[in-house]
């Protein structure tokens, strides 16, 4: 089941904001309202991972594909009136905080997708933006933009989803042979997802909610079996559900800009004997 926090009913939240805004400006006709955390109401946040196992696809003689269940997050937010000459964006920002992604080829070696800066501890997180909408995860359902002046509170909903759908070669990736040698796939990746309101001009950010989640994949492969019956899930079939935190975590600088995780990752070949080799460098 989705983890769900019920805050205030949206109608009550709107009434509270209207009263607050009126009282805040009653002392001065020249009062310019300022958007603060206490004036923003988050009346519902949900975060879940679909309760279904990872799907393995063996349709290609070149690659195995697997499709994990979706992580989904949604929130309702009531923003106070936005002052003239201000634009605020409310939406989701996501960063990868840990990644282990190993494809084992018997006793020959393994390929490994890696984020070098994260692996070496030089950064705490790497942006998981779509690569265009920095710092946001995306720019469709993931964000809403409010341009001032607005005369009354605005009620909005923002949502996002994420999953893995990669390809892994049956054969050793640095080999010219097409002989299937893949024996195991292991993946363990962690993320922080923030619900944020941000001033587009000043870049002031207000963190409204923090979610932590993790996706794990464990697939055993028998390369000697015919295509279509080589791979099977091992370990737990369902994912651990996300954690909606009751405190807000700060957003590390590397979670806000380039490069994103897709551009920063490197595919390494790590043989059982011999030096590691870069197969695909970062973009």
């Amino acid at each position: 089941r989705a983890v769900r926090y019920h805050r205030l009913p949206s109608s009550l939240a709107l009434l509270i904001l209207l009263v607050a805004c009126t009282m805040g400006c009653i002392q001065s006709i020249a009062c310019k309202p300022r958007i603060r955390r206490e004036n923003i109401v988050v009346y519902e946040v949900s975060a879940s991972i679909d309760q279904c196992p990872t799907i393995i696809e063996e349709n290609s003689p070149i690659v195995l594909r697997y499709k994990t269940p979706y992580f989904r997050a949604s929130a309702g937010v009531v923003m106070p009136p936005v002052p003239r000459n201000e634009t605020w964006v409310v939406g989701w920002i996501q960063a990868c905080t840990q990644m282990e992604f190993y494809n084992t080829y018997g006793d020959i070696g393994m390929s490994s997708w890696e984020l070098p800066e994260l692996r070496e501890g030089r950064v705490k997180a790497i942006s998981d933006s779509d690569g265009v909408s920095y710092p946001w995860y995306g720019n469709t359902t993931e964000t809403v933009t409010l341009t001032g002046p607005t005369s009354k509170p605005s009620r909005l909903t923002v949502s996002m989803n994420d999953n893995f759908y990669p390809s892994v070669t049956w054969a050793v990736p640095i080999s010219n042979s097409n002989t299937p040698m893949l024996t195991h796939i292991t993946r363990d990746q962690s993320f922080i997802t923030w619900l944020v309101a941000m001033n587009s001009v000043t870049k002031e950010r207000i963190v409204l909610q923090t979610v932590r989640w993790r996706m794990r994949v464990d697939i055993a492969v028998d390369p000697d079996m015919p295509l279509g019956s080589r791979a099977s899930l091992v370990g737990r079939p369902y994912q651990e559900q996300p954690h909606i935190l009751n405190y807000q975590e700060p957003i590390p600088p590397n979670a806000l800009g380039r490069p994103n995780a897709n551009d920063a990752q490197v595919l390494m070949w790590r043989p059982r004997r011999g030096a590691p080799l870069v197969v695909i460098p970062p973009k």
Side-chain angles (χ1 to χ4, degrees):
R1 292 177 54 191
V3 180
R4 192 174 292 272
Y5 283 0
H6 290 280
R7 302 292 179 91
L8 294 174
S10 56
S11 56
L12 179 57
L14 282 165
L15 178 61
I16 291 171
L17 275 174
L18 282 167
V19 172
C21 290
T22 303
M23 294 301 292
C25 289
I26 204 167
Q27 298 177 12
S28 170
I29 295 174
C31 170
K32 181 181 179 182
R34 174 173 164 77
I35 292 180
R36 304 177 185 274
R37 175 63 187 92
E38 56 267 27
N39 295 335
I40 301 172
V41 177
V42 181
Y43 61 89
E44 185 176 90
V45 174
S46 67
S48 65
I49 295 177
D50 293 350
Q51 289 280 14
C52 60
T54 293
I55 298 170
I56 301 171
E57 298 179 1
E58 294 188 38
N59 304 319
S60 165
I62 307 300
V63 295
L64 173 152
R65 301 197 76 188
Y66 63 84
K67 187 175 186 179
T68 67
Y70 278 91
F71 163 78
R72 304 179 191 273
S74 178
V77 179
V78 180
M79 288 288 287
V82 177
R84 185 181 304 276
N85 299 326
E86 287 191 17
T87 298
W88 284 77
V89 181
V90 178
W92 296 102
I93 294 173
Q94 181 164 283
C96 176
T97 59
Q98 174 262 340
M99 183 172 81
E100 297 176 0
F101 187 177
Y102 305 119
N103 308 311
T104 304
Y105 294 83
D107 60 0
I108 302 170
M110 69 177 185
S111 64
S112 174
W113 282 103
E114 301 172 8
L115 295 167
E117 288 192 324
L118 201 59
R119 177 188 175 98
E120 296 162 13
R122 286 182 279 151
V123 298
K124 293 182 178 179
I126 290 182
S127 169
D128 197 32
S129 167
D130 61 5
V132 177
S133 310
Y134 293 101
W136 308 104
Y137 181 74
N139 65 356
T140 53
T141 63
E142 297 88 357
T143 60
V144 172
T145 300
L146 300 172
T147 301
T150 59
S151 60
K152 58 184 180 179
S154 302
R155 188 174 74 171
L156 54 96
T157 300
V158 285
S159 62
M160 62 162 287
N161 62 68
D162 188 15
N163 80 327
F164 306 154
Y165 192 18
S167 300
V168 181
T169 58
W170 295 111
V172 173
I174 62 165
S175 168
N176 292 324
S177 168
N178 290 326
T179 304
M181 301 295 288
L182 180 67
T183 54
H184 209 108
I185 298 171
T186 303
R187 186 166 183 175
D188 185 352
Q189 205 161 342
S190 299
F191 300 88
I192 305 180
T193 307
W194 294 272
L195 177 65
V196 178
M198 187 173 78
N199 185 313
S200 294
V201 177
T202 66
K203 305 305 179 185
E204 175 190 357
R205 292 184 301 275
I206 302 172
V207 177
L208 306 174
Q209 194 71 62
T210 306
V211 178
R212 280 187 172 270
W213 63 281
R214 180 181 186 183
M215 192 79 80
R216 286 181 278 188
V217 177
D218 197 1
I219 298 173
V221 182
D222 184 346
D224 296 325
M225 294 292 287
L227 184 66
S229 55
R230 292 173 183 164
S232 59
L233 282 179
V234 292
R236 54 188 297 166
Y238 303 109
Q239 302 294 327
E240 177 186 351
Q241 289 300 305
H243 299 281
I244 299 177
L245 306 186
N246 56 11
Y247 59 91
Q248 307 316 330
E249 294 200 12
I251 306 176
N254 290 81
L256 297 169
R258 300 178 188 275
N260 68 348
N262 284 343
D263 288 348
Q265 66 185 356
V266 177
L267 181 63
M268 298 293 297
W269 170 250
R270 298 188 177 276
R272 184 65 58 90
R273 289 174 293 276
L277 184 70
V278 176
V279 181
I280 300 177
K283 294 180 181 177

Coordinates of all heavy atoms in Angstrom, one line a residue, residues 15-65:
L15 N -8.8 28.5 3.3 CA -9.4 29.5 4.2 C -8.3 30.0 5.1 O -8.2 31.2 5.4 CB -10.5 28.8 5.0 CG -11.2 29.7 6.1 CD1 -11.8 30.9 5.4 CD2 -12.2 28.9 6.9
I16 N -7.4 29.1 5.7 CA -6.4 29.5 6.6 C -5.4 30.5 5.9 O -5.0 31.5 6.4 CB -5.6 28.3 7.1 CG1 -6.5 27.5 8.0 CG2 -4.3 28.7 7.8 CD1 -5.9 26.1 8.4
L17 N -5.1 30.2 4.6 CA -4.1 31.1 3.9 C -4.8 32.4 3.6 O -4.1 33.4 3.7 CB -3.7 30.4 2.6 CG -2.5 29.4 2.7 CD1 -2.3 28.7 1.4 CD2 -1.3 30.2 3.1
L18 N -6.1 32.4 3.3 CA -6.7 33.7 3.0 C -6.7 34.6 4.2 O -6.4 35.8 4.2 CB -8.2 33.5 2.5 CG -8.3 33.0 1.1 CD1 -9.7 32.5 0.8 CD2 -8.0 34.2 0.1
V19 N -7.0 34.0 5.4 CA -7.0 34.7 6.6 C -5.6 35.2 7.0 O -5.4 36.4 7.4 CB -7.6 33.9 7.8 CG1 -7.4 34.6 9.1 CG2 -9.1 33.6 7.6
A20 N -4.6 34.3 6.8 CA -3.2 34.7 7.1 C -2.8 35.9 6.3 O -2.1 36.8 6.7 CB -2.3 33.5 7.0
C21 N -3.1 35.8 5.0 CA -2.6 36.8 4.1 C -3.3 38.2 4.4 O -2.7 39.2 4.3 CB -2.9 36.4 2.6 SG -1.9 35.1 2.0
T22 N -4.6 38.1 4.7 CA -5.4 39.3 5.1 C -4.8 39.9 6.4 O -4.5 41.1 6.4 CB -6.8 39.0 5.3 OG1 -7.3 38.4 4.1 CG2 -7.6 40.3 5.6
M23 N -4.6 39.1 7.4 CA -4.0 39.6 8.7 C -2.6 40.1 8.5 O -2.2 41.1 9.1 CB -4.0 38.5 9.7 CG -5.4 38.0 10.1 SD -6.5 39.4 10.8 CE -5.6 39.6 12.3
G24 N -1.8 39.5 7.6 CA -0.4 39.9 7.4 C -0.3 41.3 6.8 O 0.7 42.0 7.0
C25 N -1.3 41.7 6.0 CA -1.2 42.9 5.3 C -2.1 44.0 5.9 O -2.1 45.1 5.4 CB -1.6 42.7 3.8 SG -0.4 41.8 2.9
I26 N -2.8 43.7 7.0 CA -3.8 44.7 7.5 C -3.1 45.9 8.1 O -3.6 47.0 8.2 CB -4.7 44.0 8.5 CG1 -6.0 44.8 8.6 CG2 -4.1 43.8 9.8 CD1 -7.1 44.1 9.3
Q27 N -1.8 45.7 8.6 CA -1.1 46.7 9.3 C -0.5 47.8 8.3 O -0.2 48.9 8.7 CB 0.1 46.1 10.1 CG -0.4 45.2 11.2 CD 0.7 44.6 11.9 OE1 1.9 45.0 11.8 NE2 0.4 43.6 12.7
S28 N -0.4 47.4 7.0 CA 0.2 48.4 6.1 C -0.3 48.2 4.7 O -0.4 47.1 4.2 CB 1.7 48.1 6.1 OG 2.3 48.9 5.0
I29 N -0.8 49.3 4.2 CA -1.3 49.3 2.8 C -0.2 48.9 1.8 O -0.4 48.2 0.8 CB -1.9 50.6 2.4 CG1 -3.1 50.9 3.3 CG2 -2.3 50.7 1.0 CD1 -3.7 52.3 3.1
A30 N 1.0 49.3 2.1 CA 2.1 49.0 1.2 C 2.8 47.6 1.5 O 3.8 47.4 0.9 CB 3.2 50.1 1.4
C31 N 2.1 46.8 2.3 CA 2.7 45.5 2.6 C 2.9 44.7 1.3 O 2.0 44.5 0.5 CB 1.7 44.7 3.5 SG 2.1 43.0 3.8
K32 N 4.1 44.1 1.2 CA 4.4 43.2 0.1 C 4.5 41.8 0.7 O 5.5 41.5 1.4 CB 5.7 43.6 -0.6 CG 6.0 42.7 -1.8 CD 7.3 43.1 -2.5 CE 7.6 42.1 -3.6 NZ 8.9 42.4 -4.3
P33 N 3.6 40.9 0.4 CA 3.6 39.6 1.0 C 4.9 38.8 0.6 O 5.3 39.0 -0.6 CB 2.4 38.9 0.5 CG 2.0 39.7 -0.7 CD 2.5 41.1 -0.5
R34 N 5.4 38.0 1.5 CA 6.6 37.2 1.1 C 6.2 35.7 1.3 O 5.6 35.4 2.3 CB 7.7 37.6 2.1 CG 9.0 36.7 1.9 CD 10.1 37.3 2.8 NE 11.2 36.3 3.0 CZ 12.1 35.9 2.1 NH1 12.0 36.5 0.9 NH2 13.0 35.0 2.3
I35 N 6.6 34.9 0.4 CA 6.3 33.5 0.5 C 7.3 32.8 1.4 O 8.5 32.9 1.3 CB 6.3 32.8 -0.9 CG1 5.1 33.4 -1.7 CG2 6.2 31.3 -0.8 CD1 5.1 32.8 -3.1
R36 N 6.7 32.2 2.5 CA 7.5 31.5 3.5 C 7.0 30.1 3.7 O 5.9 29.8 3.2 CB 7.4 32.3 4.9 CG 7.9 33.7 4.8 CD 7.7 34.3 6.2 NE 8.0 35.8 6.2 CZ 9.2 36.3 6.3 NH1 10.3 35.5 6.5 NH2 9.4 37.6 6.3
R37 N 7.8 29.3 4.3 CA 7.4 27.9 4.5 C 6.0 27.8 5.3 O 5.2 27.0 4.9 CB 8.4 27.1 5.2 CG 8.0 25.6 5.6 CD 7.8 24.8 4.3 NE 7.2 23.5 4.6 CZ 5.9 23.2 4.6 NH1 5.0 24.2 4.5 NH2 5.5 22.0 4.8
E38 N 5.9 28.7 6.3 CA 4.7 28.6 7.1 C 3.4 29.0 6.4 O 2.3 28.7 6.8 CB 4.8 29.4 8.4 CG 5.2 30.8 8.2 CD 6.7 31.1 8.2 OE1 7.5 30.2 7.9 OE2 7.1 32.2 8.6
N39 N 3.6 29.6 5.2 CA 2.4 30.0 4.4 C 2.0 29.0 3.3 O 1.1 29.2 2.6 CB 2.7 31.4 3.8 CG 2.8 32.5 4.8 OD1 2.3 32.4 5.9 ND2 3.6 33.5 4.4
I40 N 2.8 28.0 3.2 CA 2.6 26.9 2.2 C 2.0 25.7 2.9 O 2.5 25.3 3.9 CB 3.9 26.5 1.5 CG1 4.5 27.8 0.8 CG2 3.6 25.4 0.5 CD1 5.9 27.5 0.2
V41 N 0.9 25.2 2.4 CA 0.2 24.0 3.0 C 0.4 22.8 2.0 O 0.1 22.9 0.9 CB -1.3 24.3 3.2 CG1 -2.0 23.1 3.7 CG2 -1.5 25.5 4.1
V42 N 1.0 21.8 2.6 CA 1.1 20.5 1.9 C 0.0 19.6 2.5 O 0.1 19.2 3.6 CB 2.5 19.8 2.1 CG1 2.5 18.5 1.3 CG2 3.5 20.8 1.6
Y43 N -1.1 19.4 1.8 CA -2.2 18.8 2.4 C -2.3 17.3 2.1 O -3.1 16.6 2.7 CB -3.6 19.5 2.0 CG -3.9 19.5 0.5 CD1 -4.6 18.4 0.0 CD2 -3.6 20.5 -0.3 CE1 -5.0 18.4 -1.4 CE2 -3.9 20.6 -1.6 CZ -4.6 19.5 -2.1 OH -4.9 19.5 -3.5
E44 N -1.5 16.8 1.2 CA -1.4 15.3 1.1 C -0.1 15.0 0.3 O 0.2 15.6 -0.7 CB -2.6 14.8 0.3 CG -2.6 13.3 0.2 CD -3.9 12.8 -0.5 OE1 -3.9 12.7 -1.7 OE2 -4.9 12.6 0.2
V45 N 0.6 14.0 0.8 CA 1.8 13.4 0.1 C 1.7 11.9 0.1 O 1.3 11.3 1.1 CB 3.1 13.8 0.8 CG1 4.3 13.1 0.1 CG2 3.3 15.3 0.8
S46 N 1.9 11.3 -1.1 CA 1.9 9.9 -1.2 C 3.2 9.4 -1.9 O 3.7 10.1 -2.8 CB 0.7 9.3 -1.8 OG 0.6 9.7 -3.2
A47 N 3.7 8.3 -1.5 CA 4.9 7.7 -2.2 C 4.8 6.2 -2.1 O 4.5 5.7 -1.0 CB 6.2 8.2 -1.6
S48 N 4.9 5.5 -3.2 CA 4.8 4.0 -3.2 C 5.6 3.4 -4.4 O 6.0 4.1 -5.3 CB 3.3 3.6 -3.4 OG 2.8 4.1 -4.6
I49 N 5.9 2.2 -4.3 CA 6.4 1.4 -5.4 C 5.4 0.3 -5.7 O 4.9 -0.4 -4.8 CB 7.8 0.8 -5.0 CG1 8.8 1.9 -4.8 CG2 8.2 -0.2 -6.1 CD1 10.2 1.4 -4.4
D50 N 5.1 0.2 -7.0 CA 4.0 -0.8 -7.4 C 4.3 -2.2 -6.8 O 5.5 -2.6 -6.8 CB 4.0 -0.9 -8.9 CG 3.4 0.4 -9.5 OD1 3.0 1.3 -8.8 OD2 3.5 0.5 -10.8
Q51 N 3.3 -2.8 -6.3 CA 3.4 -4.2 -5.7 C 3.4 -5.2 -6.8 O 2.4 -6.0 -6.9 CB 2.3 -4.4 -4.7 CG 2.5 -3.6 -3.4 CD 3.5 -4.2 -2.5 OE1 4.3 -5.0 -2.8 NE2 3.6 -3.7 -1.2
C52 N 4.4 -5.3 -7.6 CA 4.6 -6.3 -8.6 C 6.0 -6.6 -8.8 O 6.9 -5.7 -8.5 CB 3.9 -5.9 -9.9 SG 4.7 -4.4 -10.6
P53 N 6.4 -7.8 -9.2 CA 7.8 -8.2 -9.4 C 8.4 -7.5 -10.6 O 7.7 -7.1 -11.5 CB 7.8 -9.7 -9.4 CG 6.4 -10.0 -9.9 CD 5.5 -9.0 -9.4
T54 N 9.7 -7.5 -10.7 CA 10.4 -7.1 -11.9 C 10.2 -8.1 -13.0 O 10.1 -9.3 -12.8 CB 11.9 -7.0 -11.6 OG1 12.2 -6.0 -10.6 CG2 12.8 -6.8 -12.8
I55 N 9.9 -7.6 -14.2 CA 9.7 -8.4 -15.4 C 10.9 -8.6 -16.2 O 11.6 -7.6 -16.5 CB 8.6 -7.7 -16.2 CG1 7.3 -7.6 -15.5 CG2 8.4 -8.5 -17.5 CD1 6.2 -6.7 -16.2
I56 N 11.2 -9.8 -16.5 CA 12.4 -10.1 -17.3 C 12.0 -10.4 -18.7 O 11.0 -11.1 -19.0 CB 13.2 -11.4 -16.7 CG1 13.6 -11.1 -15.3 CG2 14.4 -11.7 -17.6 CD1 14.1 -12.3 -14.6
E57 N 12.7 -9.8 -19.7 CA 12.4 -10.0 -21.1 C 13.6 -10.7 -21.8 O 14.7 -10.2 -21.8 CB 12.1 -8.7 -21.8 CG 10.9 -7.9 -21.2 CD 10.6 -6.6 -21.9 OE1 11.4 -6.2 -22.8 OE2 9.7 -5.9 -21.5
E58 N 13.3 -11.8 -22.4 CA 14.3 -12.5 -23.2 C 13.9 -12.7 -24.6 O 13.9 -13.7 -25.2 CB 14.5 -13.9 -22.6 CG 15.1 -14.0 -21.2 CD 15.4 -15.4 -20.7 OE1 15.9 -16.2 -21.6 OE2 15.2 -15.7 -19.6
N59 N 13.7 -11.5 -25.3 CA 13.2 -11.5 -26.6 C 14.4 -11.4 -27.6 O 14.2 -11.7 -28.8 CB 12.2 -10.4 -26.9 CG 11.1 -10.4 -25.9 OD1 10.5 -11.5 -25.6 ND2 10.6 -9.3 -25.4
S60 N 15.5 -10.9 -27.2 CA 16.6 -10.6 -28.1 C 17.8 -11.6 -27.8 O 18.1 -11.9 -26.7 CB 17.1 -9.2 -27.8 OG 18.4 -9.0 -28.4
P61 N 18.4 -12.1 -28.9 CA 19.6 -12.9 -28.8 C 20.8 -12.1 -28.4 O 21.9 -12.7 -28.1 CB 19.8 -13.5 -30.2 CG 19.2 -12.5 -31.1 CD 18.0 -11.9 -30.4
I62 N 20.7 -10.8 -28.4 CA 21.9 -9.9 -28.0 C 21.8 -9.4 -26.6 O 22.8 -9.4 -25.9 CB 21.9 -8.6 -28.9 CG1 21.9 -9.1 -30.4 CG2 23.1 -7.8 -28.6 CD1 23.0 -9.9 -30.8
V63 N 20.6 -9.1 -26.1 CA 20.5 -8.5 -24.7 C 19.3 -9.1 -24.0 O 18.3 -9.5 -24.5 CB 20.3 -6.9 -24.8 CG1 21.6 -6.3 -25.3 CG2 19.1 -6.6 -25.5
L64 N 19.5 -9.1 -22.7 CA 18.4 -9.4 -21.7 C 17.9 -8.0 -21.3 O 18.7 -7.1 -21.1 CB 18.9 -10.1 -20.5 CG 18.0 -10.4 -19.3 CD1 18.4 -11.7 -18.6 CD2 18.0 -9.2 -18.3
R65 N 16.6 -7.9 -21.1 CA 16.1 -6.6 -20.6 C 15.2 -6.9 -19.4 O 14.6 -8.0 -19.3 CB 15.2 -5.9 -21.6 CG 15.9 -5.5 -22.9 CD 15.2 -4.5 -23.7 NE 15.3 -3.1 -23.1 CZ 14.6 -2.1 -23.5 NH1 13.7 -2.2 -24.4 NH2 14.8 -0.9 -22.9

